[in-house]
Amino acid sequence: MNTFDRSQLTTYYVLLLNLTEGCGNESCSNSWCASSVGFNRMDNNAAAVKALELYKVNAKLCDPHPSKKGTASAYLESNAHSNSACSNRKLNHKDVNSVRDNFKDVNYLTEEKVYEILEICGEKEDYSPLIRVIGRVFSSAEGLVQSFRKSKPHTKEELKSLQGKDEDKDEDEKEAAACSATAMEEDSPTSSSSRLGEGSSGENDVQKLAPDEVSVDIEAVRRVYERLLSNEKIEAAFLNALVYLSPNVECDLTYHNVYSRDPNYLNLFVIVMENSNLHSPEYLEIALPQFCKAMSKLPLAAQAKLARLWAHYSAEQIRRMVETFQQLITYKVISNEFNSRNLVNDDDAVVAATKCLKIIYYANVLGGDLDVEHNEEEDEEPIPESSELTLQELLGEERRNKKGPRVDPLETELGIRTNDCRRPLVPFEEFVNEPLNEVLEMDKDYTFFKVETENKFSFMTCPFILNAVTKNLGLYYDNRIRMYSERRITVLYSLVQGQQLNPYLRLKVRRDHIIDDALVRLEMIAMENPADLKKQLYVEFEGEQGVDEGGVSKEFFQLVVEEIFNPDIGMFTYDEGTKLFWFNPSSFENEGQYTLIGIVLGLAIYNNCILDVHFPMVVYRKLMGKKGTFRDLADANPVLYQSLKELLEYEGNVEDDMMITFQISQTDLFGNPLMYDLRENGDKIPVTNENRKEFVAQYADYMLNKSVEKQFKAFRRGFHMVTNESPLKYLFRPEEIELLICGSRNLDFLALEETTEYDGGYNRDSRIIKEFWETLHSFGEEQKRLFLQFTTGTDRAPVGGLGKLKMIIAKNGPDTDRLPTSHTCFNVLLLPEYSSKEKLRERLLKAITYAKGFGML
């Protein structure tokens, strides 16, 4: 039998590399080189056979690409011992040890190779060869991309190709070809795409993978990290390698579009992110910031693939990655002095880590409890545009977001919304970074958000990292700027067309007819020019002297809500058990009334007023575009929820034992029963063990959606009339919308005491001030709410709690019989210096109990 010597095998392998990988010269003229134009790709087995043919005719060889030099000899040295059946060559023990000690030609790693090197190093108690290999592979994008690939079995086509060609060839040549092909598949899993960005075989490999799958063996990577990270010297090799790797990766992604040419490039990020020590202090200074910058350059499709992949991770694994990026952001924030001149928005590391955190955030959403089906239908009639639109276009003030609110591109790419997630893998609160919120200059950040320039990053584009207080401030800026814009347009309109100047949304109402006056006026505005709803609200009570600097509006909203939600009116029903209101499905009020209620809620958010509204959470989910489902009954109608839950869990025969049909009954305002068929001829369809899930789903759909469809659509339409151009949906989740409208139910008066300021001669140590706080803390819950109502115009705490309320207590003269007074517009309490604590208590209680109406002091 003929045999190959070492030089012949080297020549053969170079030919094989020419056929599978090419020489790297894009203008190569060798027709048998994979780099030449028009070369037809072949699988590894076919290439092995063809290499034998070319070897026999002394075919032309190309010089290998610089990155491939030495690969042939590396192949021989690493495989000669294991593949002796192919060549009958024997290496003595000394040769094997020499090869294994050096490992100079190991350019990528497998789990087995790592353990092999680790075992040899352990025997000699010298880990420097392994450290050098890790440093070489983990600092090379190409080496890391090739490493830890999933094993790929031969396909039937590949086996047929190998068996069907050149059946008449020498037996030893066939053995050499088959053995070489197998060795190549095992030792070089990326042989068809190892030169990043070259050729199409790598792309074809990736196309066979699912959207949430990569070619790297993640479990193998985890096992390797677990074995190696316990050794401090080896851990340092990972750290140093990452420092060298990251700038090159950033360059590849920024300028060379490497991912689109080789999607396997994503393996690099998967492997690095499995390092459980990334959040340790050693990485925070240089390595992790540089890696985040590189990762933030990933194109949208790559980010989406990572999110889909990581969505399959456990909550603990997601939390580890969240903590990694949060640690970096916090470290950078506390180690720098950020202010209005040195913005946190300009810190590359913080910005990059936030962008990386966004990928984890959407993985967290995707991996959670998703409901992508139950979506509210869009309004059939579009909200009318302002009649002033033409003038706005003339003045360069064309309305933005006419196509709807902003949507995150990654959200669009993934085809999901945050509101689709009922319960994420990790609570949303863990994505909020409080130190960042404290140093963020929200006025500047909002400007960057609106301008959308590439060189200025806005954290409002990543609202998950902001707390409700910060987001509310961003919304406040948006609302105020819109108000000023409407005011400016109105002034210009009056100059051009000679119309009467009306820069505010003015409402003049009678206290005894507040609903009639307010709703009639708002209905006229909504019909004639809805853009006026976006002007600053200015309320005037007829016969009263109060000037509206915010306080009069607060009381206006309070009175309107009290009237609208009065059960006697019949627009809403009230549940004594849950203390919540719900739309009355049999209300006699027309749709216009519900539209106007929606407008009032929108105006409250728009004018930064808190309402004493008690809706179940499903109302806010519906406002954000999600229909109510069975799970929403838990707080909307807990009695019905419990009954339906027991039906689902019943272990007996539902049809025989319960005798329920697909016909349900309700009662109207007068207590009369109303029958409704969940399915056609529902009274004849029994509920069984098989169809009970369908019954429960349809029952919940009827109660939360169909029965109040007309009322809710009108209500939502009114709400969107005010908020349709606002970033409300983009920034806030349903539970945060409730907080915006209703404020916080937790009243912490100790926090209020800490933040209160004093004026007119009072200070924190004044006798009257100490007695005042002692008195206030001794009040009951209802009396405290009355005090808050008296001083601020609402009995609810703002977003962030009472600590965010800037209350001022000012001296209002010496001891007197006069009652305390307040400026609710500015949260100012005017307190005379009463002679005793008893008199203070008596005067204060009388003031807060009988306070109603406005006057001029």
Side-chain angles (χ1 to χ4, degrees), residues 146 176 247 251 273 284 377 448 544 551 594 628 728-729 856:
Q146 294 182 49
C251 181
M273 285 304 298
L284 295 178
E377 296 177 3
F448 302 150
E544 299 181 19
Y594 286 98
L728 189 72
K729 275 190 175 182
M856 296 296 287

Short mmCIF file of all heavy atoms in Angstrom, two decimals, residues 146 176 247 251 273 284 377 448 544 551 594 628 728-729 856:
data_model
loop_
_atom_site.label_atom_id
_atom_site.label_comp_id
_atom_site.label_asym_id
_atom_site.label_seq_id
_atom_site.Cartn_x
_atom_site.Cartn_y
_atom_site.Cartn_z
N GLN A 146 -14.56 30.67 16.05
CA GLN A 146 -14.45 29.26 15.67
C GLN A 146 -14.56 28.31 16.86
O GLN A 146 -14.81 27.12 16.68
CB GLN A 146 -13.09 29.02 15.00
CG GLN A 146 -12.91 29.71 13.67
CD GLN A 146 -11.58 29.36 13.07
OE1 GLN A 146 -11.20 28.20 12.98
NE2 GLN A 146 -10.83 30.37 12.65
N ALA A 176 -7.32 8.03 2.99
CA ALA A 176 -6.74 9.33 3.33
C ALA A 176 -7.78 10.44 3.18
O ALA A 176 -7.87 11.34 4.02
CB ALA A 176 -5.53 9.60 2.44
N PRO A 247 -11.44 46.29 21.17
CA PRO A 247 -11.27 47.34 20.15
C PRO A 247 -11.32 46.80 18.72
O PRO A 247 -11.88 47.45 17.83
CB PRO A 247 -9.89 47.93 20.47
CG PRO A 247 -9.65 47.60 21.90
CD PRO A 247 -10.30 46.27 22.11
N CYS A 251 -14.12 47.75 15.85
CA CYS A 251 -13.71 48.19 14.52
C CYS A 251 -14.37 47.32 13.44
O CYS A 251 -14.88 47.84 12.44
CB CYS A 251 -12.19 48.12 14.40
SG CYS A 251 -11.55 48.66 12.82
N MET A 273 -20.05 36.62 27.25
CA MET A 273 -21.08 36.91 28.25
C MET A 273 -21.31 35.74 29.21
O MET A 273 -21.96 35.91 30.24
CB MET A 273 -22.40 37.27 27.57
CG MET A 273 -22.43 38.67 26.99
SD MET A 273 -22.07 39.97 28.19
CE MET A 273 -23.42 39.77 29.35
N LEU A 284 -14.16 46.19 35.54
CA LEU A 284 -14.95 47.42 35.45
C LEU A 284 -14.18 48.62 34.90
O LEU A 284 -14.77 49.52 34.31
CB LEU A 284 -15.53 47.79 36.83
CG LEU A 284 -16.55 46.79 37.40
CD1 LEU A 284 -17.01 47.25 38.78
CD2 LEU A 284 -17.74 46.64 36.48
N GLU A 377 -58.46 46.79 19.43
CA GLU A 377 -58.48 47.32 18.07
C GLU A 377 -58.26 48.83 18.10
O GLU A 377 -58.67 49.51 19.03
CB GLU A 377 -59.83 47.01 17.40
CG GLU A 377 -60.10 45.51 17.24
CD GLU A 377 -61.47 45.25 16.66
OE1 GLU A 377 -62.18 46.23 16.34
OE2 GLU A 377 -61.83 44.07 16.52
N PHE A 448 -32.27 65.78 23.78
CA PHE A 448 -31.64 64.78 22.92
C PHE A 448 -32.70 63.79 22.40
O PHE A 448 -32.62 63.31 21.27
CB PHE A 448 -30.55 64.02 23.67
CG PHE A 448 -29.46 64.90 24.22
CD1 PHE A 448 -28.77 64.55 25.37
CD2 PHE A 448 -29.12 66.10 23.59
CE1 PHE A 448 -27.77 65.36 25.89
CE2 PHE A 448 -28.12 66.91 24.10
CZ PHE A 448 -27.45 66.54 25.26
N GLU A 544 -65.71 83.60 42.07
CA GLU A 544 -64.57 83.47 42.98
C GLU A 544 -63.37 84.18 42.39
O GLU A 544 -63.21 84.28 41.18
CB GLU A 544 -64.26 81.99 43.25
CG GLU A 544 -65.43 81.25 43.90
CD GLU A 544 -65.11 79.79 44.18
OE1 GLU A 544 -63.91 79.45 44.20
OE2 GLU A 544 -66.05 78.99 44.37
N GLY A 551 -53.46 75.44 41.43
CA GLY A 551 -54.31 75.00 42.54
C GLY A 551 -55.78 74.94 42.17
O GLY A 551 -56.49 74.02 42.58
N TYR A 594 -68.65 59.54 27.92
CA TYR A 594 -67.46 58.76 28.22
C TYR A 594 -66.22 59.34 27.53
O TYR A 594 -65.12 59.29 28.09
CB TYR A 594 -67.67 57.29 27.81
CG TYR A 594 -68.59 56.54 28.74
CD1 TYR A 594 -69.94 56.38 28.43
CD2 TYR A 594 -68.12 56.02 29.95
CE1 TYR A 594 -70.79 55.69 29.29
CE2 TYR A 594 -68.96 55.34 30.81
CZ TYR A 594 -70.30 55.17 30.48
OH TYR A 594 -71.13 54.51 31.34
N GLY A 628 -58.65 42.85 28.13
CA GLY A 628 -58.73 42.16 29.41
C GLY A 628 -58.88 40.66 29.20
O GLY A 628 -59.55 40.21 28.26
N LEU A 728 -46.17 59.03 26.17
CA LEU A 728 -46.73 58.31 27.32
C LEU A 728 -46.60 56.80 27.16
O LEU A 728 -46.09 56.10 28.03
CB LEU A 728 -48.20 58.70 27.49
CG LEU A 728 -48.91 58.22 28.75
CD1 LEU A 728 -48.42 58.99 29.96
CD2 LEU A 728 -50.42 58.39 28.62
N LYS A 729 -47.06 56.28 26.01
CA LYS A 729 -47.02 54.83 25.79
C LYS A 729 -45.60 54.32 25.69
O LYS A 729 -45.32 53.18 26.07
CB LYS A 729 -47.78 54.49 24.50
CG LYS A 729 -49.27 54.32 24.66
CD LYS A 729 -49.87 53.75 23.39
CE LYS A 729 -51.35 53.46 23.58
NZ LYS A 729 -51.94 52.85 22.37
N MET A 856 -59.02 85.81 47.35
CA MET A 856 -57.76 86.55 47.21
C MET A 856 -57.35 87.03 48.59
O MET A 856 -58.11 87.69 49.28
CB MET A 856 -57.95 87.74 46.26
CG MET A 856 -58.29 87.35 44.83
SD MET A 856 -56.99 86.44 44.03
CE MET A 856 -55.83 87.75 43.74
#
